[in-house]
């Protein structure tokens, strides 16, 4: 039994330690598993389906509260959100990438509006359309 535990510890040191070291080489500020340089919302956890970027500007919907493309987030964007919600717009207002626009998206927009630093992308092409 003792040999088994020792073997497991050696294995962990040989395999686990290098993996942990490599993880340290790729910063992931929001901890969503997507390295900052590949993350279209590097301050907001949005891995998986929520990684969508409807307008292809390099800012994922999860952090792209700039619905009128003015490069800032303000009440004009809230007006744009309401217009999309009322008129079934192009789903840019679908901040959680659920496929529809509802009050959850409004809650997310308010969060981005209150925390402007969330409107951030790690992609070098962010701000240009299409960013790919
Ligand atoms: Ca990330
Ligand atoms: Ca993210
Ligand atoms: Ca976007
Ligand atoms: Ca705006």
């Amino acid at each position: 039994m003792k040999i088994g535990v020792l073997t497991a510890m050696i294995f962990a040191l040989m395999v686990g330690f290098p993996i942990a070291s490599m993880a340290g080489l790729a910063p992931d500020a929001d901890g969503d598993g997507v390295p900052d340089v590949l993350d279209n919302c590097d301050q907001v956890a949005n891995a998986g389906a929520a990684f969508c970027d409807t307008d292809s500007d390099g800012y994922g919907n999860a952090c792209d509260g700039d619905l009128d493309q003015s490069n800032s987030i303000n009440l004009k964007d809230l007006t744009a959100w309401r217009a999309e919600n009322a008129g079934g717009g192009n789903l840019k207002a679908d901040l959680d990438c659920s496929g529809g626009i509802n009050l959850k998206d409004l809650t997310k927009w308010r969060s981005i509006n209150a925390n402007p630093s969330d409107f951030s992308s790690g992609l070098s092409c962010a701000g240009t359309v299409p960013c790919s």
Side-chain angles (χ1 to χ4, degrees):
M1 288 298 282
K2 286 184 179 178
I3 292 173
V5 170
L6 185 61
T7 302
M9 286 176 66
I10 291 170
F11 184 77
L13 284 170
M14 290 174 66
V15 176
F17 190 71
I19 290 172
S21 298
M22 284 172 66
L25 293 175
D28 179 16
D30 57 14
D32 64 1
V34 181
D36 289 350
V37 293
L38 300 174
D39 197 335
N40 63 11
C41 289
D42 61 2
Q43 303 299 312
V44 176
N46 65 324
F51 204 68
C52 77
D53 177 13
T54 300
D55 60 2
S56 303
D57 66 354
Y59 295 94
N61 286 25
C63 61
D64 192 353
D66 179 26
L67 299 180
D68 68 355
Q69 309 291 42
S70 69
N71 209 30
S72 65
I73 299 173
N74 52 44
L75 289 180
K76 288 181 180 175
D77 299 301
L78 179 57
T79 301
W81 186 91
R82 286 182 170 143
E84 284 208 21
N85 183 43
N90 65 7
L91 294 183
K92 181 169 163 37
D94 177 23
L95 300 192
D96 63 2
C97 306
S98 68
I101 302 171
N102 54 42
L103 289 180
K104 288 182 181 175
D105 302 304
L106 180 58
T107 300
K108 283 190 171 288
W109 183 86
R110 285 185 169 143
S111 174
I112 298 166
N113 185 48
N115 302 285
S117 62
D118 284 356
F119 180 40
S120 172
S121 172
L123 303 181
S124 59
C125 60
T128 58
V129 180
C131 173
S132 58

